[in-house]
Amino acid sequence: MTKTENTIEVKKLTKKFKKFTAVDSISFDVKKGEIFGFLGPNGAGKSTTIRMLTTLLTPTSGTAMVEGHDIKKDQNEVRKRIGLVAEKIILYNHLSAMENLEFFGKLNHLSKDEIKKRSERWIERLGMEEWKDAQASTYSTGMKQRINIVRALLTEPDILFLDEPTLGLDPQTTFMIRTFIQELNKKGITIILTTHDMIEAEALSDRVAIIDHGKIQALDTVENLKKKVENKKNPTLEDVFLQVTGLDIRDKRGKAKRAGGPPWRGGGENRVR
Amino acid sequence: MKHVLSDLWQITKKDLLEFARDRIRLITFIIMPIFMMVLTGFIFPSQNSIKNVPIGVVNQNGTTGNQLLDVIKNLEITSGNKAFATKTYSSINAIKDGIKKQEINGGIYIPADFSRDISINKQAQVTIVEDQSNPQISGIATQTLTNVVQGFGQEIGKQKVGVLVAKTGARGPNAGVLITPITSKLEGILPGSTNYFEFVAPGIMAMVVMTAVLTGLAASVSREREQGTLDGILISPISRLAIILGKAMSQSIRGLAQGAIVLLLAIFLFGVTINGSILLVALLLLLGIFSFVGLGILVSASAAEQETATQLLFMFQFPMLFLSGAFFPTQQMPQIMQDIAHVLPLTYAIEALRKVIILGAGVSSVMNELIILTVFGAVTLAIAVPLFRKMITR
């Protein structure tokens, strides 16, 4: 099935923090129903872009349409259609899973019944029934992340933003969440996924965008991107990534420091387009 | 807009539930006002409370000097407690050394020619030495000593005038009346005397309420921002006004609860009587909160991190505590400080609370304060809310 209809249209989106340009006039589209991998080194502008698309940050210039709604003008309409699993887990430690879900559900104007029905369905799917009334402070990171995902799904969003959803989780939970992401996608939910895990990105993404220094450096299907890797047989997505973004280690603001790297790689100048 | 109130309440409810589950925060919440009351109430001295203040005495005179010293030694201001604990020194310089060593908080020196001067009708003089390192105690101590010396002098004067009157053979005039033809009578608005507690309780009450709204609100917003949970709220399709007012509301409820703890402690533990209407006290506390919500929101919006918020507020709060007259009367301050005090809403909240609690003032007597607090709150809120909206997604 080819996905053609755009669900997100980003136009010259820019975010500056004082003199630092975190996102530099990027434009791209996300198709309805796809899993869109959004990759980039630390400080490349991934989270800033996601925060703008989810209305948590106001763009300095440019804009984006999410499900036909302007992120600058119709923020509440955008909010009604998206779910967010952010870098930090959105969960109150002193409340139980159900209390957390009820709170966020109410903020989204869901009825008590709806909240209960939807929560229990996903809680069961993610194996958290036994824990749903325990305080979140007693959960492991993996358990917290599972409830965090249930929270993001409460509103039955059209688009789900997942910002490093498997970071710091054990292989079992990671596997469970990856399978679950695919399951959700099959139900028609568009997924925007940022990750540093190239295997995850490769396994899940229909298309991948690589962002660096606030600009989209490459955007295509994984297969097409791999074809552009030079000097290597059977390249992986990691090879693509390193060729596109170079070998320099980034500090927080994207400044580069030279690191050693695989001998097959040339300079950072050969950008994949 | 119809959702604003219910959204606001969801946030308030969640904040309070979270708070109630956090034992450490709950305990400090209850203990803090108790601490403040007990400490300030017991530490600050009042006229009634001097007892056993150590002073040095030098008597180079003899019998008359000893009579004066006896009065000083036996003086009781609160019954059963001697006002002074006297210690004999050899000279006025020895008293001064004693003060330097902080063995004593003052002293009195009676010179050798004290009784001779009295007998030859020359004005006799004693020297009272004050401890300038401790103006609070020494102020009360030297005042008390001066009163004792004056009273002693008046007794001697009475005897002398009595003798003179008898010589003239005139009838009628009483020597005591001749010496002090005018007396003054002290009358308060209310029966009984006030103590420092009554002065300080309204101040502490206004202060804990203010702290809850200022520090509490900023800390609560920045904590959620750091933990990441704020994103969960911000991504909901609700008015930003509901978010910040919901948070302000939970802090206000906490502040009022703390204010109530202070009030109950003041009444039941420290014997403060509320002479005015308790409803008016509650109204004043509410308006005090209202006047601070705007400022609280401004700080919450501007400080990205909890630590920055706390530091920023400390800069505000610390001078405010002292300038607003919570602990010291504003009238004692230099003019410029008084001018600053009159810009601070806390000053008005405290003044009004004091009028109502101590003096039993009614609504009409605190109308000015009520208006000022309302206007201050409305203006800062009108500035703060749009700014919050903008800054939260900066």
Side-chain angles (χ1 to χ4, degrees), chain A residues 227-238:
Chain A
K227 285 178 197 157
K228 295 175 190 167
V229 173
E230 297 149 359
N231 313 326
K232 190 152 191 223
K233 278 184 183 172
N234 302 324
T236 61
L237 184 59
E238 184 170 54

Side-chain angles (χ1 to χ4, degrees), chain B residues 212-256:
Chain B
V213 182
L214 268 184
T215 326
L217 183 58
S220 150
V221 171
S222 45
R223 188 172 48 242
E224 288 220 34
R225 204 195 303 237
E226 270 167 62
Q227 287 172 350
T229 46
L230 190 64
D231 287 347
I233 297 178
L234 291 175
I235 205 178
S236 312
I238 62 174
S239 151
R240 311 292 102 169
L241 184 69
I243 296 175
I244 192 61
L245 289 188
K247 292 223 141 268
M249 170 90 96
S250 64
Q251 296 301 326
S252 305
I253 292 174
R254 287 172 50 176
L256 275 179

